[in-house]
Amino acid sequence: MEQIRRTKVVDLLQLEDFGTTVNVKGWVRTRRGNKQVNFVALNDGSTIHNIQVVIDLGKFDEEFLKPITTGACINVNGTYVASQGKGQKGEILATAIEVFGTADPATYPLQKKGHSLEFLREIAHLRPRTNTFGAILRIRHHMAYGIHKYFNDKGFFYFHSPIITASDCEGAGSMFQATTLDLNNIPRDEFGEVNFKEDFFGKQANLTVSGQLEGELGAMSLGAIYTFGPTFRAENSNTPRHLAEFWMIEPEVAFNDVNDNMDLAEDFLKYLIAYALENCKDDIEFLNEMFDKELVERLNFVLNNDFVRLTYTEGVEILEKCGEKFEFPVYWGADLQSEHERFLVEKHFKRPVILTDYPKEIKSFYMKQNEDGKTVRGMDVLFPKIGEIIGGSERESDYDKLMKRVDELGMNVDPIWWYIESRKFGTAPHSGFGLGFERLILFVTVMANIRDVIPFPRTPNNVEF
Ligand code: ATP
Ligand code: MN
């Protein structure tokens, strides 16, 4: 077969030079036709759209064409011509075809019929070949790029917080341990406890649940940073919104108070939604068509409306008075559940909500304490269909107040002595938040289950692929 430079389908679909010879490589989505001519819909992942390859059966041997079935990978040379059919500009009249890889119709699971998302989860190694997952994964890429672009354009520095840490930011129990100890032969000390001195790091280590504590040190030196990396939580909550391994974006900014933090969160989310609408048009339109006809409308709505800002206390009052039956009780001091958050967003305000000033008991030790002695300057951004998409706060920058809180909670701060020192040496007001990347992708792709917005999800009892 003659060597011709490959053109990606996404570029072919823009091509106006009819009559040129092109090469295309991709996976067969469908093949149909009659005794004279066959039509192959070919997809190479570069776009949701397929290119049509027209095969004149007078020029190709029928036996040779047999392995060209759904899922097979082929290499095609041909003439790019204006298309007779509607819905496409051009198509390829094949002059030479090579079959790279066959896909036995008896065993290839992705035949033409639609498959449930549940079934596709069981074949996560193949689901990126479907329209739906192709769209989601391209959107995921563009959003990641958009996040870096947003921060870079605003002068934030990408700060690489560690994946393995010896600190526990959120409270024990939800962390994965990182160890090289032989679990069948655990070394013990004289008290019978695990002797971590013999472990790789000489002490107990974990996979990070958040890059925030290190991120704060970045902000206190570089001014404005963000992290964007994998985080791990061994929470045994089998929900459609939790993964054991997820990606988090955590900006942290020196001199920002909680209001600046809210402004940043709102601007950031709106930028990303606008970025998706602009850069993932075809894929979003596909999802809009297939899964939820209000998707584009909802994205535009978020873009064009201010987020409502109110305190936790005001939010709880609304929930107590609303007359709605909730599964979990609401009262001042309760940690709001997703059903409460979604009521405020979807039924009461009908737009995104930022709740602030939460009871200190339900928030982390590092949040700035308010004068009332009861609440802290936390802020959660709540989204339709998602609930909490961002959690953040102004941080407690006062050494004495931070230490008092740590003592109240009976925390052992030895592992985070370095964090505490940031309040001793040149402390300053600062704020930040964490955005769960997959929660954002859920919103933009209108998927209902977080397992469907990451290539290979990790959840309790599931580490396949
Ligand atoms: P939730 O109450 O929903 O469990 P959280 O309060 O534990 O969230 P934070 O610790 O504030 O969440 O983390 C910041 C953000 O990270 C959340 O707003 C959410 O978008 C995301 N997030 C938290 N836990 C998970 C998880 N297990 N899987 C995916 N995203 C998560
Ligand atoms: Mn959680």
Side-chain angles (χ1 to χ4, degrees):
M1 208 166 125
E2 192 193 344
Q3 293 283 323
I4 300 170
R5 233 176 93 120
R6 170 185 173 222
T7 308
K8 287 188 183 178
V9 173
V10 68
D11 298 323
L12 269 179
L13 295 172
Q14 300 301 318
L15 203 67
E16 304 276 359
D17 310 348
F18 298 118
T20 48
T21 302
V22 296
N23 170 267
V24 65
K25 296 174 171 71
W27 292 269
V28 174
R29 283 297 172 79
T30 57
R31 177 176 151 208
R32 60 187 177 82
N34 52 38
K35 291 216 152 59
Q36 284 83 47
V37 64
N38 272 199
F39 302 99
V40 169
L42 201 65
N43 189 281
D44 69 357
S46 61
T47 162
I48 187 114
H49 301 297
N50 303 325
I51 188 84
Q52 177 156 283
V53 177
V54 183
I55 306 172
D56 180 347
L57 295 199
K59 293 189 184 135
F60 291 89
D61 184 55
E62 205 165 323
E63 268 312 295
F64 172 79
L65 296 177
K66 261 210 175 123
I68 303 181
T69 55
T70 298
C73 188
I74 60 172
N75 179 17
V76 180
N77 285 348
T79 315
Y80 181 72
V81 298
S83 178
Q84 313 294 315
K86 57 176 175 353
Q88 66 216 1
K89 220 166 25 186
E91 59 193 20
I92 297 174
L93 293 182
T95 51
I97 302 176
E98 176 187 359
V99 178
F100 278 149
T102 58
D104 181 1
T107 49
Y108 183 62
L110 289 175
Q111 298 303 329
K112 202 183 163 193
K113 66 178 160 63
H115 298 286
S116 72
L117 295 169
E118 288 78 11
F119 170 71
L120 292 175
R121 255 171 245 152
E122 292 167 17
I123 50 163
H125 60 311
L126 293 171
R127 68 178 184 172
R129 297 248 197 109
T130 63
N131 280 332
T132 299
F133 284 90
I136 293 165
L137 296 177
R138 279 184 298 271
I139 291 172
R140 207 182 143 99
H141 158 78
H142 285 291
M143 297 316 280
Y145 188 79
I147 285 161
H148 285 299
K149 179 161 167 52
Y150 177 86
F151 287 123
N152 183 64
D153 289 354
K154 279 197 168 320
F156 284 61
F157 298 106
Y158 184 21
F159 188 75
H160 294 94
S161 48
I163 306 274
I164 301 175
T165 78
S167 68
D168 172 355
C169 177
E170 305 270 308
S174 64
M175 305 190 87
F176 289 99
Q177 291 193 36
T179 180
T180 53
L181 290 180
D182 177 358
L183 297 184
N184 290 310
N185 185 18
I186 296 171
R188 305 268 169 192
D189 62 16
E190 66 261 42
F191 309 105
E193 305 279 333
V194 178
N195 188 0
F196 284 106
K197 285 204 180 76
E198 288 191 24
D199 204 349
F200 187 89
F201 297 105
K203 55 167 75 170
Q204 195 173 357
N206 312 288
L207 299 183
T208 187
V209 295
S210 161
Q212 180 199 318
L213 299 190
E214 290 91 354
E216 285 189 43
L217 307 180
M220 298 308 283
S221 46
L222 302 172
I225 63 92
Y226 68 105
T227 70
F228 186 177
T231 42
F232 307 87
R233 295 189 186 179
E235 46 197 354
N236 211 343
S237 49
N238 237 318
T239 81
R241 275 177 294 278
H242 290 89
L243 289 167
E245 176 182 297
F246 66 101
W247 288 67
M248 187 145 66
I249 300 103
E250 296 181 277
E252 194 70 39
V253 189
F255 320 121
N256 266 10
D257 67 14
V258 71
N259 291 310
D260 302 320
N261 206 31
M262 285 191 271
D263 291 344
L264 178 66
E266 183 168 344
D267 186 62
F268 179 46
L269 287 169
K270 285 180 170 170
Y271 174 92
L272 291 173
I273 289 166
Y275 192 89
L277 283 167
E278 198 177 315
N279 294 281
C280 312
K281 210 163 177 304
D282 292 355
D283 289 325
I284 287 178
E285 270 167 18
F286 170 82
L287 296 169
N288 189 87
E289 193 55 35
M290 298 299 290
F291 290 95
D292 181 348
K293 298 243 168 15
E294 286 164 21
L295 170 60
V296 173
E297 208 179 306
R298 191 178 311 113
L299 295 177
N300 277 306
F301 181 82
V302 168
L303 210 54
N304 296 324
N305 286 282
D306 289 341
F307 296 4
V308 179
R309 301 181 185 189
L310 70 158
T311 64
Y312 166 92
T313 303
E314 290 164 332
V316 167
E317 269 168 28
I318 292 169
L319 290 166
E320 281 175 332
K321 286 192 196 133
C322 72
E324 183 92 0
K325 268 240 158 293
F326 294 116
E327 190 186 337
F328 293 91
V330 215
Y331 52 90
W332 199 94
D335 201 355
L336 297 185
Q337 303 293 321
S338 169
E339 56 172 344
H340 308 130
E341 297 171 341
R342 290 183 60 178
F343 177 86
L344 290 173
V345 172
E346 290 165 25
K347 301 230 172 99
H348 190 82
F349 290 110
K350 299 191 166 62
R351 61 171 77 179
V353 168
I354 310 183
L355 279 187
T356 58
D357 302 291
Y358 283 79
K360 64 179 179 187
E361 285 76 19
I362 59 171
K363 289 291 182 191
S364 297
F365 74 97
Y366 49 69
M367 293 196 184
K368 184 171 173 66
Q369 298 155 36
N370 281 321
E371 255 81 83
D372 64 11
K374 293 191 296 193
T375 60
V376 290
R377 253 168 247 186
M379 50 141 254
D380 283 4
V381 181
L382 316 179
F383 253 40
K385 292 193 170 273
I386 308 289
E388 181 188 330
I389 193 164
I390 278 180
S393 70
E394 182 170 345
R395 318 305 188 189
E396 182 54 77
S397 55
D398 183 273
Y399 178 82
D400 294 329
K401 285 187 183 156
L402 185 66
M403 290 312 286
K404 189 160 161 281
R405 184 71 189 134
V406 154
D407 286 341
E408 273 170 21
L409 291 167
M411 279 175 62
N412 171 21
V413 291
D414 293 346
I416 53 164
W417 62 271
W418 43 271
Y419 179 78
I420 303 292
E421 281 207 346
S422 68
R423 273 60 173 172
K424 276 208 303 218
F425 305 131
T427 190
H430 62 287
S431 302
F433 60 79
L435 166 68
F437 187 49
E438 286 75 18
R439 300 238 178 130
L440 173 72
I441 306 298
L442 276 177
F443 185 68
V444 174
T445 61
V446 80
M447 288 295 110
N449 194 313
I450 199 161
R451 291 162 181 77
D452 297 332
V453 295
I454 187 165
F456 303 107
R458 269 79 181 97
T459 51
N461 291 316
N462 177 30
V463 67
E464 200 68 35
F465 307 107

Coordinates of all heavy atoms in Angstrom, one line a residue, residues 270-315:
K270 N -17.4 29.6 36.1 CA -18.0 30.1 34.9 C -17.1 30.1 33.7 O -17.5 29.8 32.6 CB -18.5 31.6 35.1 CG -19.8 31.6 36.0 CD -20.2 33.0 36.3 CE -21.6 33.0 36.9 NZ -22.0 34.3 37.4
Y271 N -15.8 30.4 33.9 CA -14.8 30.3 32.9 C -14.8 28.9 32.3 O -14.8 28.7 31.1 CB -13.5 30.7 33.4 CG -12.3 30.5 32.4 CD1 -11.9 31.6 31.6 CD2 -11.7 29.3 32.3 CE1 -10.9 31.4 30.7 CE2 -10.6 29.1 31.4 CZ -10.2 30.2 30.6 OH -9.2 30.0 29.7
L272 N -14.8 27.9 33.2 CA -14.7 26.5 32.7 C -15.9 26.1 31.9 O -15.8 25.4 30.9 CB -14.4 25.6 33.9 CG -13.0 25.8 34.5 CD1 -12.9 24.9 35.8 CD2 -11.9 25.4 33.5
I273 N -17.0 26.5 32.3 CA -18.3 26.2 31.6 C -18.3 26.8 30.2 O -18.6 26.2 29.2 CB -19.5 26.5 32.5 CG1 -19.6 25.5 33.6 CG2 -20.8 26.5 31.6 CD1 -20.5 25.8 34.7
A274 N -17.9 28.1 30.2 CA -17.8 28.8 28.9 C -16.7 28.1 28.0 O -16.9 28.0 26.8 CB -17.4 30.3 29.1
Y275 N -15.7 27.7 28.7 CA -14.6 27.0 27.9 C -15.1 25.7 27.3 O -14.8 25.4 26.1 CB -13.4 26.7 28.8 CG -12.2 26.3 28.1 CD1 -11.2 27.3 27.7 CD2 -11.9 25.0 27.8 CE1 -10.1 26.9 27.0 CE2 -10.7 24.6 27.2 CZ -9.9 25.5 26.7 OH -8.7 25.2 26.0
A276 N -15.9 25.0 28.0 CA -16.5 23.7 27.5 C -17.4 24.0 26.4 O -17.4 23.4 25.3 CB -17.2 23.0 28.6
L277 N -18.3 25.0 26.5 CA -19.2 25.3 25.5 C -18.5 25.7 24.2 O -19.0 25.4 23.1 CB -20.2 26.5 25.9 CG -21.3 26.0 26.9 CD1 -21.9 27.2 27.6 CD2 -22.3 25.2 26.2
E278 N -17.4 26.4 24.4 CA -16.7 26.9 23.2 C -15.8 25.8 22.5 O -15.8 25.7 21.3 CB -15.8 28.1 23.6 CG -15.4 28.9 22.4 CD -14.6 30.1 22.8 OE1 -15.0 30.8 23.8 OE2 -13.5 30.4 22.2
N279 N -15.2 25.0 23.4 CA -14.2 24.1 22.8 C -14.7 22.6 22.7 O -13.9 21.8 22.1 CB -12.9 24.1 23.7 CG -12.2 25.4 23.6 OD1 -11.5 25.7 22.7 ND2 -12.5 26.3 24.6
C280 N -15.8 22.3 23.2 CA -16.3 20.9 23.2 C -17.7 20.9 22.6 O -18.6 20.1 23.0 CB -16.4 20.3 24.6 SG -14.9 20.5 25.5
K281 N -17.9 21.8 21.6 CA -19.3 22.0 21.1 C -19.9 20.7 20.6 O -21.0 20.3 21.0 CB -19.2 23.0 19.9 CG -20.4 23.8 19.7 CD -20.1 25.0 18.9 CE -21.3 25.9 18.6 NZ -22.4 25.1 18.0
D282 N -19.2 20.0 19.7 CA -19.8 18.8 19.1 C -20.1 17.7 20.2 O -21.2 17.1 20.1 CB -18.8 18.1 18.1 CG -18.7 19.0 16.9 OD1 -19.4 20.1 16.8 OD2 -17.8 18.7 16.0
D283 N -19.2 17.6 21.1 CA -19.4 16.5 22.1 C -20.5 16.9 23.1 O -21.3 16.0 23.4 CB -18.1 16.3 22.9 CG -17.0 15.6 22.0 OD1 -17.4 14.7 21.2 OD2 -15.8 15.9 22.1
I284 N -20.6 18.2 23.4 CA -21.7 18.6 24.3 C -23.0 18.5 23.6 O -24.0 18.0 24.2 CB -21.4 20.0 24.9 CG1 -20.3 19.9 25.9 CG2 -22.7 20.6 25.5 CD1 -19.9 21.3 26.5
E285 N -23.0 18.8 22.3 CA -24.3 18.7 21.6 C -24.7 17.3 21.5 O -25.9 16.9 21.6 CB -24.1 19.3 20.2 CG -24.5 20.8 20.1 CD -24.1 21.4 18.8 OE1 -23.8 20.7 17.8 OE2 -24.0 22.7 18.8
F286 N -23.8 16.4 21.3 CA -24.1 14.9 21.3 C -24.7 14.5 22.6 O -25.8 13.8 22.7 CB -22.8 14.1 21.0 CG -23.0 12.6 21.2 CD1 -23.6 11.9 20.2 CD2 -22.7 12.0 22.4 CE1 -23.8 10.5 20.4 CE2 -22.9 10.7 22.6 CZ -23.5 9.9 21.6
L287 N -24.1 14.9 23.7 CA -24.6 14.5 25.0 C -26.0 15.1 25.3 O -26.9 14.5 25.9 CB -23.6 14.9 26.1 CG -22.3 14.2 26.1 CD1 -21.3 14.8 27.0 CD2 -22.4 12.7 26.4
N288 N -26.1 16.4 24.8 CA -27.4 17.1 25.0 C -28.5 16.3 24.2 O -29.6 16.1 24.8 CB -27.3 18.5 24.4 CG -28.5 19.3 24.6 OD1 -28.6 20.0 25.7 ND2 -29.5 19.4 23.7
E289 N -28.2 15.8 23.1 CA -29.1 15.1 22.2 C -29.5 13.7 22.8 O -30.6 13.3 22.9 CB -28.5 14.9 20.8 CG -29.4 14.4 19.7 CD -30.6 15.3 19.6 OE1 -30.5 16.5 19.7 OE2 -31.7 14.8 19.3
M290 N -28.5 13.0 23.3 CA -28.6 11.6 23.8 C -29.1 11.5 25.2 O -29.8 10.5 25.6 CB -27.3 10.9 23.6 CG -26.8 10.8 22.2 SD -27.9 9.9 21.1 CE -27.8 8.2 21.8
F291 N -28.7 12.4 26.1 CA -28.9 12.2 27.5 C -29.8 13.2 28.2 O -30.5 12.9 29.1 CB -27.6 12.1 28.3 CG -26.8 10.9 28.0 CD1 -25.8 10.9 27.0 CD2 -27.0 9.7 28.6 CE1 -25.1 9.8 26.7 CE2 -26.3 8.5 28.3 CZ -25.3 8.6 27.4
D292 N -29.7 14.5 27.8 CA -30.5 15.5 28.5 C -30.6 16.7 27.6 O -29.7 17.5 27.4 CB -29.8 15.8 29.8 CG -30.6 16.9 30.6 OD1 -31.6 17.5 30.1 OD2 -30.3 17.1 31.8
K293 N -31.8 16.9 27.1 CA -32.0 18.0 26.1 C -31.9 19.4 26.8 O -32.0 20.4 26.1 CB -33.4 17.9 25.5 CG -33.6 16.5 24.7 CD -33.8 16.8 23.2 CE -33.7 15.7 22.3 NZ -33.7 14.3 22.7
E294 N -31.8 19.4 28.1 CA -31.6 20.7 28.8 C -30.2 21.0 29.1 O -29.9 22.0 29.8 CB -32.5 20.8 30.0 CG -33.9 20.9 29.7 CD -34.9 20.6 30.8 OE1 -34.4 20.7 32.0 OE2 -36.0 20.3 30.5
L295 N -29.2 20.2 28.7 CA -27.8 20.4 29.1 C -27.3 21.7 28.7 O -26.8 22.5 29.6 CB -27.0 19.2 28.6 CG -25.5 19.4 28.7 CD1 -25.1 19.5 30.2 CD2 -24.7 18.2 28.1
V296 N -27.4 22.0 27.5 CA -26.8 23.3 27.0 C -27.4 24.5 27.7 O -26.8 25.4 28.1 CB -26.9 23.4 25.4 CG1 -26.4 24.8 25.0 CG2 -26.0 22.3 24.8
E297 N -28.7 24.4 27.8 CA -29.5 25.4 28.5 C -29.0 25.6 29.9 O -28.8 26.8 30.4 CB -30.9 25.0 28.5 CG -32.0 26.1 28.5 CD -33.4 25.4 28.5 OE1 -33.6 24.6 27.6 OE2 -34.1 25.7 29.4
R298 N -28.8 24.5 30.6 CA -28.4 24.6 32.0 C -27.0 25.2 32.1 O -26.7 26.0 33.0 CB -28.4 23.2 32.6 CG -28.2 23.2 34.1 CD -28.3 21.8 34.7 NE -29.4 21.0 34.3 CZ -29.4 20.0 33.5 NH1 -28.2 19.5 33.1 NH2 -30.5 19.3 33.1
L299 N -26.1 24.8 31.2 CA -24.7 25.4 31.2 C -24.8 26.9 31.0 O -24.1 27.6 31.7 CB -23.9 24.7 30.1 CG -23.6 23.2 30.3 CD1 -22.8 22.6 29.2 CD2 -22.9 22.9 31.7
N300 N -25.6 27.3 30.0 CA -25.7 28.7 29.8 C -26.4 29.5 30.9 O -26.0 30.6 31.3 CB -26.5 29.0 28.5 CG -25.7 28.9 27.3 OD1 -24.6 29.5 27.2 ND2 -26.0 28.0 26.3
F301 N -27.3 28.8 31.6 CA -28.0 29.4 32.7 C -26.9 29.7 33.8 O -26.9 30.8 34.4 CB -29.1 28.5 33.2 CG -29.8 29.1 34.4 CD1 -30.8 30.0 34.2 CD2 -29.5 28.8 35.7 CE1 -31.5 30.6 35.2 CE2 -30.2 29.3 36.8 CZ -31.2 30.2 36.5
V302 N -26.1 28.7 34.1 CA -25.1 28.9 35.2 C -24.1 30.0 34.8 O -23.7 30.9 35.6 CB -24.3 27.6 35.4 CG1 -23.1 27.8 36.3 CG2 -25.2 26.6 36.1
L303 N -23.8 30.1 33.5 CA -22.9 31.1 33.0 C -23.5 32.5 33.2 O -22.8 33.5 33.5 CB -22.7 30.8 31.5 CG -21.4 31.2 30.9 CD1 -20.3 30.5 31.6 CD2 -21.5 30.7 29.4
N304 N -24.8 32.6 33.0 CA -25.4 34.0 32.9 C -26.0 34.5 34.2 O -26.7 35.5 34.2 CB -26.4 34.0 31.8 CG -25.7 33.7 30.4 OD1 -24.6 34.2 30.2 ND2 -26.3 33.0 29.5
N305 N -25.9 33.7 35.3 CA -26.6 34.1 36.5 C -25.6 34.2 37.7 O -24.7 33.3 37.8 CB -27.8 33.2 36.8 CG -28.9 33.5 35.9 OD1 -29.7 34.4 36.1 ND2 -29.1 32.6 34.9
D306 N -25.8 35.2 38.5 CA -24.9 35.2 39.7 C -25.3 34.0 40.6 O -26.4 33.6 40.7 CB -25.2 36.5 40.5 CG -24.7 37.7 39.8 OD1 -23.8 37.6 38.9 OD2 -25.1 38.9 40.1
F307 N -24.3 33.5 41.3 CA -24.5 32.5 42.3 C -25.1 33.2 43.5 O -24.7 34.3 43.9 CB -23.2 31.8 42.7 CG -22.5 31.0 41.6 CD1 -23.0 31.0 40.3 CD2 -21.4 30.3 41.9 CE1 -22.4 30.3 39.3 CE2 -20.7 29.5 40.9 CZ -21.2 29.5 39.6
V308 N -26.1 32.5 44.2 CA -26.6 33.1 45.4 C -25.7 32.8 46.6 O -25.1 31.7 46.7 CB -28.0 32.4 45.8 CG1 -28.6 32.9 47.0 CG2 -29.0 32.5 44.6
R309 N -25.4 33.9 47.4 CA -24.5 33.7 48.5 C -25.3 33.9 49.8 O -26.0 34.9 50.0 CB -23.4 34.7 48.5 CG -22.6 34.5 47.2 CD -21.4 35.5 47.1 NE -20.8 35.4 45.8 CZ -19.6 35.9 45.5 NH1 -19.0 36.7 46.4 NH2 -19.1 35.7 44.3
L310 N -25.3 32.9 50.7 CA -25.9 33.1 52.0 C -25.2 32.2 53.0 O -24.4 31.4 52.7 CB -27.4 32.7 51.9 CG -27.8 31.2 51.8 CD1 -29.2 31.0 52.2 CD2 -27.7 30.8 50.3
T311 N -25.5 32.5 54.3 CA -24.8 31.7 55.3 C -25.5 30.4 55.6 O -26.7 30.2 55.2 CB -24.9 32.5 56.7 OG1 -26.2 32.6 57.1 CG2 -24.3 33.9 56.6
Y312 N -24.7 29.5 56.1 CA -25.2 28.2 56.5 C -26.5 28.3 57.4 O -27.5 27.6 57.2 CB -24.1 27.4 57.3 CG -24.6 26.2 58.1 CD1 -24.6 24.9 57.5 CD2 -25.0 26.3 59.4 CE1 -25.0 23.8 58.2 CE2 -25.5 25.2 60.1 CZ -25.4 24.0 59.5 OH -25.9 22.9 60.2
T313 N -26.4 29.3 58.3 CA -27.5 29.5 59.3 C -28.8 29.9 58.5 O -29.9 29.3 58.7 CB -27.2 30.6 60.3 OG1 -26.0 30.2 61.0 CG2 -28.3 30.8 61.3
E314 N -28.7 30.8 57.5 CA -29.8 31.1 56.7 C -30.3 29.9 55.8 O -31.5 29.7 55.7 CB -29.4 32.3 55.7 CG -29.2 33.6 56.4 CD -28.5 34.7 55.6 OE1 -27.7 34.3 54.7 OE2 -28.7 35.8 55.8
G315 N -29.4 29.2 55.4 CA -29.7 28.0 54.6 C -30.5 27.0 55.4 O -31.5 26.4 55.0

